[in-house]
């Protein structure tokens, strides 16, 4: 039996797959918060290039991947798939476990799959600078890499506390040529206002988004880029699932259940949507399990409502599962999962019960991550350990029921720049998190009041 399943460079998909074409209930439109009317391309054109706006609203089933993008994908794609023989043996389970490993990319996660595509469309339209925000630094690193490939200037607003605590992510971005500023900065009005109020602030993702958008709106040659949540981001990630279908074909297998962590929804969608197409059109019965942190449980405890995508309230209103845009998740180490909402596409699919969601506490996740490192040799990103924890639950359930099943995990990133998290776990400094009813309700109360008339 092979432990890894490689594909050829010629197997890199030629198209991205757009789930909108096959959804039984189409996603509801984003709304302009001022008018309450569906947001159109004009609402987005100051910050995104038209090529991406067209993908954002497209209902075409397949969208061709430009040759130049496929050529850059070749640096790390096709990514390997592994049979987790070490983990299977330890768990003594009848289940077969496979994982698709996206940690082989230049930034160490799935995010370059969309960063390269986004920068390509910006370049096509003559954009000279791209701005973005980054929390833990995964997205900033991916965009910095992509900009270096197209010779575009990259400006990253990094949440102050991460800037101070994660110096190596910043150096990675600098190595790819990006400028990295701690946010709030004195480069924007939004930043200056916050600093005037509180010079010692540690910043937030919401403030960093405001700074990056402000820079893009002010300059014709500058656009803004987002690393998750939006339809076009999920679209670009479907190369993961398409490659996985081929790899499992070589192994003579097909997944009964697919597991992936969910922050905004892009890596989950990337591996799931091409298989979900087969459920919708070929009668396959695969289950899809999105794993969120118990400290930020939008899918399992949030509500399906219109809410802002950012805490500053700059984006259109999106119909999604949310905890409210002012919800403050606990400071867990899986920074990529600390987001108050979930993508519109994943939200609609969950509402229609075509996918499932589960919330897991961080101690169980880190324990699973350490088990995975010892059996499979890969130290997973804290976000990815959420997927591993659910895979272990599924494999133990299979053992209890005495049935074999095939499990596929998206191992979306390595944890080499997150060793502080593992150190804190070993030192017993991490804890689980539970909410009082009020904590969850308060974030939601505010947005219940701003729902559009039915
Ligand atoms: C950003 C990130 C996530 C969360 O984002 P999604 O859009 O939900 O995929 C998860 N894992 C890693 C490693 C990330 O970098």
């Amino acid at each position: 039996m092979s432990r890894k399943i490689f594909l050829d460079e010629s197997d890199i998909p030629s198209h991205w797959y757009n789930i909108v074409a096959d959804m039984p209930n189409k996603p509801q439109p984003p709304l302009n918060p001022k008018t309450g009317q569906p947001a159109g391309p004009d609402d987005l054109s100051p910050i995104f290039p038209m090529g991406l706006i067209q993908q954002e609203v497209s209902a075409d089933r397949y969208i061709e991947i430009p040759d130049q993008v496929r050529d850059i994908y070749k640096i790390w794609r096709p990514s390997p798939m592994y049979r987790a023989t070490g983990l299977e043996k330890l768990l003594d389970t009848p289940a077969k476990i496979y994982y698709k490993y996206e940690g082989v990319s230049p930034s160490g996660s799935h995010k370059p799959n969309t960063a390269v595509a986004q920068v390509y469309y910006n370049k096509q339209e003559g954009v000279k600078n791209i701005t973005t925000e980054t929390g833990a630094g995964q997205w900033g690193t991916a965009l910095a890499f992509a900009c270096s490939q197209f010779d575009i200037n990259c400006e990253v607003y990094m949440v102050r506390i991460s800037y101070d605590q994660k110096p190596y992510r910043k150096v990675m971005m600098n190595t790819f040529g990006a400028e990295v500023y701690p946010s709030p900065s004195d480069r924007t009005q939004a930043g200056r206002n916050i600093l005037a109020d509180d010079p010692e602030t540690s910043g937030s993702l919401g403030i960093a988004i405001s700074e990056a958008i402000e820079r893009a709106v002010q300059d014709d040659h500058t656009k803004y880029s987002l690393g998750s949540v939006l339809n076009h981001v999920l679209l670009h990630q479907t190369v993961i699932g398409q490659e996985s279908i081929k790899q499992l074909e070589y192994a003579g297998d097909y997944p009964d259940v697919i597991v992936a962590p969910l922050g905004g929804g892009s890596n989950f969608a990337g591996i799931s949507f091409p298989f979900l197409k087969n459920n919708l059109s070929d009668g396959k019965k695969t289950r899809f399990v999105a794993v969120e942190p118990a400290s930020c449980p939008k899918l399992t405890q949030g509500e399906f409502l219109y809410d802002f995508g950012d805490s500053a309230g700059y984006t259109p209103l999106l119909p999604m599962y949310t905890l409210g845009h002012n919800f403050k998740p606990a400071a867990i180490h899986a920074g990529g999962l600390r987001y108050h909402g979930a993508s519109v596409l994943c939200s609609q699919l969950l509402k229609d019960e075509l996918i499932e969601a589960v919330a897991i506490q961080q101690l169980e996740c880190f324990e699973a991550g350490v088990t995975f490192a010892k059996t499979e040799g890969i130290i997973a990103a804290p976000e990815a350990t959420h997927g591993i924890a659910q895979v272990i639950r599924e494999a133990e359930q299979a053992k209890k029921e005495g049935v074999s099943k095939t499990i596929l995990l998206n191992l979306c990133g390595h944890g080499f720049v997150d060793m502080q998290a593992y150190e804190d776990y070993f030192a017993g400094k991490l804890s689980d998190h539970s909410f009082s009813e009020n904590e969850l309700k308060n974030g939601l109360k505010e947005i219940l009041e701003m729902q559009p008339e039915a």
Side-chain angles (χ1 to χ4, degrees):
M1 183 178 54
S2 301
R3 197 148 175 171
K4 36 184 193 320
I5 309 159
F6 281 125
L7 296 175
D8 236 48
E9 283 185 1
S10 61
D11 291 318
I12 295 174
S14 59
H15 292 71
W16 292 299
Y17 167 61
N18 182 9
I19 189 95
V20 173
D22 292 307
M23 285 168 75
N25 293 317
K26 304 303 175 197
Q28 295 169 33
L31 300 180
N32 179 319
K34 293 205 183 81
T35 64
Q37 296 302 306
D42 287 350
D43 292 306
L44 299 174
S45 58
I47 54 175
F48 296 120
M50 214 25 100
L52 292 175
I53 294 172
Q54 278 162 4
Q55 292 181 355
E56 187 63 22
V57 299
S58 172
D60 294 347
R61 183 168 288 113
Y62 291 104
I63 293 174
E64 191 169 7
I65 304 177
D67 284 343
Q68 214 182 338
V69 173
R70 289 184 80 225
D71 215 48
I72 297 172
Y73 278 172
K74 286 178 188 167
I75 294 177
W76 73 99
R77 305 212 73 82
S79 66
M81 179 178 285
Y82 292 81
R83 175 85 182 262
T85 49
L87 182 63
E88 285 176 21
K89 194 161 161 226
L90 178 86
L91 297 175
D92 187 28
T93 173
K96 290 186 273 184
I97 304 171
Y98 295 87
Y99 57 95
K100 178 77 164 159
Y101 187 40
E102 290 294 308
V104 294
S105 83
S107 66
S109 80
H110 60 289
K111 290 204 171 77
N113 297 331
T114 185
V116 171
Q118 290 191 44
V119 176
Y120 169 85
Y121 290 103
N122 275 286
K123 183 77 177 183
Q124 291 295 101
E125 294 177 30
V127 172
K128 300 268 188 290
N129 313 295
I130 301 180
T131 66
T132 199
E133 74 289 338
T134 198
Q138 287 270 20
W139 170 241
T141 313
L143 191 68
F145 154 70
C147 284
S148 74
Q149 290 289 311
F150 288 94
D151 199 20
I152 281 188
N153 190 54
C154 181
E155 194 172 307
V156 182
Y157 290 85
M158 186 172 190
V159 177
R160 174 95 234 176
I161 189 165
S162 300
Y163 184 92
D164 293 336
Q165 288 179 350
K166 305 204 168 183
Y168 294 132
R169 275 283 168 201
K170 171 183 167 283
V171 181
M172 287 172 82
M173 291 183 256
N174 292 149
T175 305
F176 287 124
E179 302 161 32
V180 185
Y181 301 100
S183 167
S185 76
D186 59 8
R187 297 171 57 83
T188 66
Q189 196 56 50
R192 286 189 292 272
N193 289 349
I194 303 270
L195 284 174
D197 267 4
D198 180 5
E200 303 301 317
T201 178
S202 55
S204 75
L205 215 45
I207 298 167
I209 294 176
S210 311
E211 290 205 274
I213 293 182
E214 184 180 319
R215 294 283 294 175
V217 171
Q218 278 172 355
D219 185 304
D220 281 351
H221 299 293
T222 302
K223 297 280 180 198
Y224 166 73
S225 178
L226 194 62
S228 183
V229 180
L230 297 177
N231 299 357
H232 67 268
V233 180
L234 274 57
L235 173 83
H236 300 149
Q237 294 294 351
T238 58
V239 290
I240 302 173
Q242 293 184 71
E243 287 178 6
S244 298
I245 288 177
K246 229 177 230 179
Q247 283 162 312
L248 284 178
E249 236 169 62
Y250 286 140
D253 230 326
Y254 196 85
D256 297 301
V257 55
I258 292 180
V259 175
L262 188 142
S266 74
N267 90 82
F268 171 81
I271 196 159
S272 297
F273 286 2
F275 288 95
L276 181 53
K277 175 181 187 295
N278 294 344
N279 274 26
L280 294 169
S281 55
D282 289 344
K284 295 277 198 220
K285 295 262 180 338
T286 303
R287 292 169 49 227
F288 304 90
V289 185
V291 190
E292 62 184 6
S295 59
C296 193
K298 59 273 187 121
L299 298 176
T300 54
Q301 297 195 62
E303 288 192 42
F304 187 89
L305 292 167
Y306 270 101
D307 193 9
F308 289 111
D310 65 319
S311 23
Y314 277 7
T315 70
L317 290 167
L318 303 171
M320 61 180 178
Y321 280 95
T322 178
L323 294 163
H325 61 277
N326 281 325
F327 179 80
K328 301 239 173 339
I332 56 164
H333 272 294
L337 306 184
R338 296 179 68 234
Y339 180 67
H340 67 274
S343 76
V344 170
L345 296 177
C346 291
S347 294
Q348 185 64 46
L349 292 166
L350 181 66
K351 189 160 176 265
D352 292 340
E353 298 179 7
L354 294 169
I355 62 172
E356 304 167 29
V358 59
I360 304 186
Q361 295 282 3
Q362 69 172 346
L363 290 181
E364 180 179 340
C365 296
F366 274 101
E367 185 186 349
V370 172
T371 299
F372 196 82
K374 286 177 177 166
T375 52
E376 293 297 317
I378 294 175
I379 298 177
E383 292 85 357
T385 64
H386 288 69
I388 298 169
Q390 178 62 19
V391 164
I392 292 175
R393 287 184 181 187
E394 295 277 349
E396 284 174 345
Q397 185 66 22
K399 183 176 178 181
K400 216 156 84 189
E401 292 170 2
V403 294
S404 177
K405 66 179 163 186
T406 299
I407 304 169
L408 172 61
L409 164 72
N410 196 9
L411 193 70
C412 53
H414 67 62
F416 299 163
V417 202
D418 302 286
M419 294 321 298
Q420 185 68 50
Y422 280 85
E423 187 177 21
D424 288 353
Y425 169 67
F426 292 131
K429 288 183 188 164
L430 302 188
S431 57
D432 286 345
H433 188 86
S434 60
F435 292 103
S436 67
E437 274 291 300
N438 272 346
E439 274 176 294
L440 287 172
K441 274 211 192 93
N442 285 343
L444 285 168
K445 211 156 57 187
E446 177 183 28
I447 54 166
L448 274 169
E449 283 161 14
M450 59 176 220
Q451 294 307 297
E453 313 263 326

